[in-house]
Amino acid sequence: AVRKEYTLSGKYFTHSGNHIKAAEQYEEALKKFPQLASIPGQKTYRSDEELKLTRYAASAHHKAENYARAAELYLRIDAGEEGAKNLELAGDFRGAGEAFAQAGLLAEAGRVFLEGDFYVEAAQSFKMDGNLMLAAEAYEKAGEFITAGDLFDKAGKPFLASSAYTEGDNLDK
């Protein structure tokens, strides 16, 4: 009954546009669920009600521009794409890139890693996604010219490969 009161209050505040109060109410409702410890590699079972309340709380935090908390809640319920988007909005580009990659969105992961100047991670994401050109460009930004040259060569861009090898002082290629 108490959980339901907090849920109804959260919905009321959401509809009235007070997202900070809505998030507080949903968080109070979530406290009524037993705290389950996450075991790495194991799926944690959560009831449908807890999943729904967690999603409501995450949405309210997002609307209140508390992106880090929204991301934490989304990732708790395996909503990786939403979690990654909120991490990006919070300025956590490494975390966002990792969350996008874990969600299987490798191109998005690469884009976000680039935005955060994590060039090697961006290159690895692009390479796994099959985009050798973007991977090579990211390796170039990381100063890994030989790897960049090899990828340019594989992508059928011998002039760019030659340029990368020259930059990396590997004139034997």
Side-chain angles (χ1 to χ4, degrees), residues 11-97:
K11 287 181 180 180
Y12 166 78
F13 286 120
T14 296
H15 291 297
S16 69
N18 189 342
H19 302 295
I20 293 171
K21 283 299 259 183
E24 289 172 2
Q25 293 302 303
Y26 289 129
E27 291 276 1
E28 283 300 317
L30 284 172
K31 287 180 184 175
K32 306 305 176 197
F33 289 95
Q35 296 300 308
L36 302 174
S38 293
I39 301 170
Q42 296 290 319
K43 180 124 174 94
T44 303
Y45 175 77
R46 299 186 190 283
S47 69
D48 289 342
E49 183 183 6
E50 184 180 5
L51 291 172
K52 183 170 68 173
L53 275 173
T54 303
R55 188 168 285 282
Y56 287 161
S59 177
H61 279 292
H62 173 84
K63 290 174 183 172
E65 299 180 3
N66 184 359
Y67 301 121
R69 181 63 179 150
E72 181 182 338
L73 291 169
Y74 279 128
L75 293 174
R76 180 188 297 175
I77 60 171
D78 296 326
E81 184 175 0
E82 292 96 336
K85 288 177 181 177
N86 278 280
L87 285 170
E88 181 180 3
L89 289 168
D92 181 357
F93 298 110
R94 180 182 295 278

Side-chain angles (χ1 to χ4, degrees), residues 101-102 104 106-107 109 113 121-132 135 139 151:
Q102 191 169 7
L106 298 172
F113 281 134
E121 292 86 344
Q124 291 167 344
S125 295
F126 288 135
K127 186 177 177 186
M128 286 189 297
D129 193 46
N131 193 328
L132 299 181
Y139 275 124
L151 289 176

